C-alpha cells in the first residue's frame, strides 16, 4: 500500500489529533527505519525518545518474546518476578532507597507523583497544603490534571474545569520559586531539561537552591524524568548529573524501550505514602512490559554504555556545530538529548526538510530542532545524518 492510500484510510478512521509528518513507517534496524514505500531514514527521534535500544534489538525482543510465552498480564492482585526485579533495579541503581509504582505513561506517572505529594502533606499536616509549583514553559502530560501542571497557557484551554492547585514559577529564578512555593505548597515539580519546551537545561545552581528550599520546608521535590531519564542524558537519570536527591522521580518514554510503561520512583521518606486503595491501575507493571524494562535497564544502567552515550552526544553536538552553518545558532542539551537552535518559527521547516532528505527529527519549543536518537545509534548512522544535515541547514 502506498502512503497516499494509507493516509486516505487513516483520515477515514483515526481521530485527527496529531499533525503527522507525511510518511508511514514500516520497520527498522538499529537507528535506521524504512517507510511503507521502502525509503530509508536515519532516526534521530526514536519515537520521541522512546526507542532507546534501537529497532529490532535482539536482547529486548528475546526478553519480550520469552515473557509473552509465560504470562503477559496478571492483575496487580498477584505478585510477579519481572515487576519486582524491575523495581529493585530502579531503586538500587539510583541509590534512592525507596520504592516504585508502575503506571503506563508519563502523564500517569506524573498523576501518581501528584497524588503522592498531596497525600504526603495531608498525612503530616492535614488539609490545605495541596499546591504543586511547576515551571513556566514546562510539559508534564495531557490528562486534565497534568495539562494544568504544565506551565504553558496554551494547554489550559477548552477542557474546563481543570484540576486546581497548580502555580508556575520562572525557570532559573529562585526568587520566583520562593514567591510561589508558600505555606500551601506540598511539592515542586520540574524537568531538569525542559524537553517539549525547547530542550532547555536548568541552571545547576538554581536546581540546588530549589532542592535546599524543599528540604527546609518539607516540600517534596518531584523531578519529571519522563524524557531525560533512562540514559538519555548520559547518566541513568539526569538528576545524578545535577548532584541532587529528589524525593520523587517520574519515568516513562525510554523505560520500556518501546512498550508503554511509566513509573513513580519515590525515595525512602515518602515511599510508603500510597497505600492499598489509594492508587492503582489495571495494566501497571504487567509482566510483559516489566520484562522489557529489565532488558532496558540491564543494558542502559551500565557505566560503559552510559559513557558511550556521552561520547556519542558530544560527537553529534560537535559534528553539528562544525557544519559551520549560519542557520544554526547553537546546540543545547546533554548526552543524546539535543536541540539545534534555529530562527524562531523555522524549526518545523527544517524538520520537514530533514525528513524529506532521510533524517527523522522533531521540534521543540519555538526554535529547536530536537534530536533524541536511539542510545544505540552507530557512528556510521550519525555520520550519515550529519551529511544530510549539512545539506539541509
Ligand atoms: C512526554 C512527556 C510527558 C508525558 O508522557 P506521556 O507518556 O505522553 O503521557 C510528561 N513529561 C515529560 C517531561 C515528557 O517529555
Amino acid at each position: 500500500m502506498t502512503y497516499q492510500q494509507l493516509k486516505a484510510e487513516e483520515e477515514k478512521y483515526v481521530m485527527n489529533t496529531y499533525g503527522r509528518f507525511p510518511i508511514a513507517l514500516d520497520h527498522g534496524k538499529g537507528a535506521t527505519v524504512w517507510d511503507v514505500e521502502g525509503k530509508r531514514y536515519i532516526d534521530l527521534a526514536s519515537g520521541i525518545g522512546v526507542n532507546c535500544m534501537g529497532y529490532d534489538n535482539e536482547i529486548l525482543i528475546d526478553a519480550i518474546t520469552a515473557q509473552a510465552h509465560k504470562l503477559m498480564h496478571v492483575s496487580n492482585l498477584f505478585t510477579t518476578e519481572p515487576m519486582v526485579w524491575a523495581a529493585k533495579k530502579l531503586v538500587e541503581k539510583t541509590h534512592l532507597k525507596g520504592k516504585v509504582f508502575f503506571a503506563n505513561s508519563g502523564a500517569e506517572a506524573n498523576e501518581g507523583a501528584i497524588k503522592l505529594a498531596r497525600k504526603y502533606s495531608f498525612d503530616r499536616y492535614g488539609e490545605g497544603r495541596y499546591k504543586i509549583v511547576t515551571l513556566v514553559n514546562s510539559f508534564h502530560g495531557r490528562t486534565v490534571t497534568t495539562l494544568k501542571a504544565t506551565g504553558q497557557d496554551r494547554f489550559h484551554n477548552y477542557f474546563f474545569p481543570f484540576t486546581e492547585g497548580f502555580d508556575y514559577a520562572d525557570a532559573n529564578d529562585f526568587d520566583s520559586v520562593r514567591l510561589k512555593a508558600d505555606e500551601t505548597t506540598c511539592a515542586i515539580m520540574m524537568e531538569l531539561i525542559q524537553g517539549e519546551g525547547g530542550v532547555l537545561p536548568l541552571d545547576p545552581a538554581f536546581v540546588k537552591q530549589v532542592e535546599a528550599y524543599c528540604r527546609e520546608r518539607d516540600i517534596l521535590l518531584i523531578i519529571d524524568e519522563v524524557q531525560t531519564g533512562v540514559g538519555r542524558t548520559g547518566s541513568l537519570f539526569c538528576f545524578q548529573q545535577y548532584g541532587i536527591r529528589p524525593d520523587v522521580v517520574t519515568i516513562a518514554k525510554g523505560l520500556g524501550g518501546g512498550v508503554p510503561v511509566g513509573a513513580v520512583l519515590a525515595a525512602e521518606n515518602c515511599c510508603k505514602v500510597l497505600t492499598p486503595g489509594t492508587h492503582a491501575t489495571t495494566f501497571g507493571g504487567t509482566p510483559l512490559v516489566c520484562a522489557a524494562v529489565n532488558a532496558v535497564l540491564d543494558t542502559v544502567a551500565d557505566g560503559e554504555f552510559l559513557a558511550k552515550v556521552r561520547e556519542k552526544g558530544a560527537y553529534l553536538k560537535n559534528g553539528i556545530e562544525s557544519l559551520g552553518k549560519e542557520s544554526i545558532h547553537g546546540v543545547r542539551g546533554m548526552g543524546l538529548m539535543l536541540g539545534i537552535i534555529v530562527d524562531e518559527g523555522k524549526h518545523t521547516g527544517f524538520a520537514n526538510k530533514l525528513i524529506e532528505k532521510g533524517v527523522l527529527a522533531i521540534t521543540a519549543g519555538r526554535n529547536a530542532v530536537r534530536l533524541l536518537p536511539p542510545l544505540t545509534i552507530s557512528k556510521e548512522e550519525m555520520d550519515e545524518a550529519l551529511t544530510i544535515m549539512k545539506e539541509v541547514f
Side-chain angles (χ1 to χ4, degrees), residues 44 198-199 320 323 327-332 338-343 347 350 354 361 364 367-371 389 393:
L44 301 186
V199 194
I320 296 163
L323 296 177
S327 53
I328 296 177
H329 305 316
V331 184
R332 283 197 293 252
L338 297 173
I340 305 173
I341 310 313
V342 296
D343 284 342
H347 52 343
F350 280 117
L354 282 166
N367 65 356
V369 175
R370 183 169 33 154
L371 310 181
M389 282 186 207
F393 286 102

Side-chain angles (χ1 to χ4, degrees), residues 39-336:
K39 187 173 164 193
R40 184 172 166 275
Y41 306 82
I42 304 298
D43 184 6
L44 301 186
S46 62
I48 319 189
V50 167
N51 304 316
C52 59
M53 306 272 280
Y55 301 99
D56 197 18
N57 180 295
E58 236 169 87
I59 298 171
L60 183 59
I61 289 172
D62 286 352
I64 294 169
T65 307
Q67 187 58 47
H69 283 291
K70 292 174 78 180
L71 288 169
M72 286 199 258
H73 174 82
V74 304
S75 74
N76 271 305
L77 304 175
F78 300 94
T79 299
T80 62
E81 281 194 39
M83 182 206 270
V84 176
W85 303 145
K88 184 178 180 183
K89 281 168 201 166
L90 285 171
V91 169
E92 289 185 344
K93 298 286 186 186
T94 53
H95 307 288
L96 281 183
K97 296 195 182 114
K99 296 184 188 191
V100 178
F101 175 89
F102 285 103
N104 311 289
S105 67
E108 273 183 68
N110 286 337
E111 287 265 355
I114 290 162
K115 283 177 71 178
L116 186 155
R118 285 186 170 175
K119 184 165 183 297
Y120 173 85
S121 213
F122 185 94
D123 290 349
R124 297 193 135 203
Y125 305 101
E127 268 180 72
R129 208 170 170 272
Y130 53 79
K131 199 199 313 183
I132 317 260
V133 174
T134 67
L135 298 181
V136 171
N137 197 44
S138 57
F139 181 79
H140 297 295
R142 293 284 191 162
T143 62
V144 172
T145 296
T146 54
L147 275 175
K148 194 65 176 174
T150 293
Q152 303 184 51
D153 289 342
R154 68 189 173 95
F155 289 98
H156 306 158
N157 237 317
Y158 318 120
F159 312 111
F160 304 104
F162 287 94
T163 308
E164 287 174 41
F166 290 93
D167 204 354
Y168 318 100
D170 292 320
N172 300 324
D173 180 349
F174 181 58
D175 287 337
S176 169
V177 170
R178 214 160 27 186
L179 202 70
K180 301 287 184 167
D182 56 15
E183 65 286 345
T184 68
T185 302
C186 65
I188 297 174
M189 174 157 88
M190 55 196 200
E191 303 153 90
L192 294 172
I193 304 174
Q194 293 188 331
E196 303 300 313
V199 194
L200 294 154
L202 294 185
D203 174 1
F206 166 77
V207 174
K208 287 267 194 197
Q209 279 178 310
V210 172
E211 181 195 29
Y213 186 78
C214 286
R215 286 289 115 75
E216 216 173 275
R217 303 240 168 166
D218 198 18
I219 291 173
L220 294 186
L221 178 59
I222 304 172
I223 300 297
D224 180 343
E225 294 246 21
V226 168
Q227 194 160 149
T228 52
V230 196
R232 177 54 55 193
T233 66
S235 50
L236 184 57
F237 290 98
C238 191
F239 79 79
Q240 295 166 314
Q241 292 186 69
Y242 274 84
I244 57 163
R245 193 188 158 287
D247 297 297
V248 181
V249 182
T250 56
I251 316 162
K253 291 199 167 87
L255 183 60
V259 301
V261 54
V264 183
L265 169 58
E268 200 175 15
N269 58 318
C270 57
C271 66
K272 294 176 184 160
V273 168
L274 296 174
T275 49
T278 61
H279 199 45
T281 168
T282 298
F283 287 117
T286 214
L288 186 76
V289 302
C290 284
V293 172
N294 280 302
V296 168
L297 292 176
D298 289 345
T299 304
V300 174
D302 168 80
E304 251 173 68
F305 184 92
L306 292 167
K308 274 203 201 122
V309 172
R310 294 192 294 275
E311 269 167 42
K312 290 176 196 182
Y315 184 80
L316 195 55
K317 185 169 187 278
N318 291 338
I320 296 163
E321 284 166 347
S322 5
L323 296 177
K325 294 289 179 179
E326 261 173 40
S327 53
I328 296 177
H329 305 316
V331 184
R332 283 197 293 252
M334 290 164 71
L336 284 171

